[in-house]
Amino acid sequence: MDTITHDELYNSLINGAKEVMNNRLFLNNINVFPVADGDTGSNLFSTMNSIVYHSELKENTKTTLESIADSAIIGARGNSGLIFAQYFQGFSEGITAEKVITKEAFVLASKNGMEYAYQAVENPVEGTMLTTMTVFYDALSKELSSHETFDTLLETALKKVEDAVENTTDQLKVLKKSFVVDSGAKGFAYFIKGFLDGIQGRLISKEITEIEEIIPAIEQHDYDNGDYRYRYCTEALIEQRSDVADLKGLISDIGDSIVQVKGKKKTRLHIHTNDPAELFERLSGHGKIIEQKVDDMVQQYDRIHNRKYKTVIMTDSIADLPKELIDDAQVHVVHISLLVGEESYIDKLTVTNEKLFDIAKAKNIHPTSSQPTIKSIENTYHYLLSYYENVVVFSVAQALSGTYNVFSKAAEKFNENKQAIHIIDTKQNSVAEGLIVWQAIENLRADKSVDEILSAAAQSISQSKILVKINTLDNMIASGRLSVRAGGIAKKVGLKPIITLDEKGEGKIFKIAFDPNRALKKILKHMKHINETKGIEHYAVTYVDDPQLGKEFADALNNTLNKEPEYITNSSGVIALGAGVGAVAVAYITK
């Protein structure tokens, strides 16, 4: 056969997704790049699981592939999941609407998927999933005229992909050292194998999990008068360990508008509440939380009816700022996903830092974070530009995260005719990023122009610094930022490093101390010196899990500088993952 129907394409793609899901544990075991955190299989499982159970066979090829792409984006976790989701997005945009797909059309769509996948990564690294995507397309295009049927063309391409996977061991030193292939590349090979099996009629009949229950979406109520007793419209989809219980009574004291839709083992809950984190903490003991959604109804209402400015400031949740300041200035925050095994939480909304540590300890898993998808940020820009003339985006340091790249890539099509979206690499994180945003808010309130806000921000970035006092090295070791051997030695001698970022935004050790008090004295000495030589214009303080430590740290700084901080706030979960319990930080901008 030299063509396939869009039904066959859909069923084969689902088969490929199931093949990846079946090999989750193996992919976790060989995951050593970019960090040996053993989560590639779990991240791909989440992405593929969403495709299997949320995508639909539509009226034609294009709408079917769009359903797959949208489902992939919903379930995408980690770098591997995000890259794969972007591949499907490109594939869906490169395919035609015809119900019969030719080999030529499939090859062109594969090219588009490959190109989109590369766009998702700021600094593409060969010897990874990206390489196998390229090899797949190259093999298809070169062998196209030599094969009359779809399956023989795919067989040849799969062989090339499998060879490319084996070659990844020699392409990356960390893989060669561990005698493994790249887990993401292997995941793509599994997908192509399952896809080919589907084309040849070998569909996976045994479900990865029990037959999926379709739990319908809960009908939303229309609140448009701005009178909110509860702020957050929150939903949870839970897979319970036994028969689905009535959970409404469990949460009735923390909100209203409670709706529960029950299946055999899954339930979807809807509630309006002021404390989503408390909701998910209560639900966590009743099964696995599969999906979380939180909409800020107050912010949505104010953006429509009480908009203050023509320009909106946008940042990621890694920027540590007080909630009341964010609300007053109507800042739009993109909340980063926090991953603990197969469960995903929303930074600063559905989990506290203390609870994040508890979950990680109970599961014996080090949590990770996941950058947003390009598609989700495109949707955010479209939403904001419906109300504002300009969007000024402050991103966590490009050197630390792919979030800046996502912000930039998503802005391209909006800036084709007129630059309405301005992306700023703060080259900072945590409270330093937050302090730069804080200053931009002050300039916005002073009715400064966009150009003036951008110019002031550039100057602030060059004059800013962060100092983080670490209380434990466990998190740095668990995250792979410090090797187990080096970390063990450092812990043995009682090392208490002070961490900072260099001018490029990369982490480095600022000073070394051997007990917390000495670390504090070194920070205070530095702050006093900077204030006397350059002058500290603004500074702010953050803490990971202990408000009292944060207050004591701020008091010590106040006594040293004779100047109060602009604000004190708790840190994002992303920062907590690296800094660990008991950490505090100060950021400053010089005059």
Side-chain angles (χ1 to χ4, degrees), residues 503-544:
E503 63 277 1
K504 295 180 180 179
E506 296 178 344
K508 69 174 188 178
I509 293 177
F510 175 70
K511 298 281 186 182
I512 292 176
F514 292 94
D515 68 61
N517 289 331
R518 290 183 181 179
L520 174 61
K521 289 178 180 178
K522 290 191 175 188
I523 290 175
L524 296 177
K525 181 179 179 181
H526 170 80
M527 295 290 288
K528 182 178 180 180
H529 172 72
I530 292 297
N531 195 40
E532 291 173 348
T533 55
K534 295 182 178 180
I536 292 177
E537 185 76 17
H538 309 292
Y539 78 97
V541 170
T542 190
Y543 57 88
V544 165

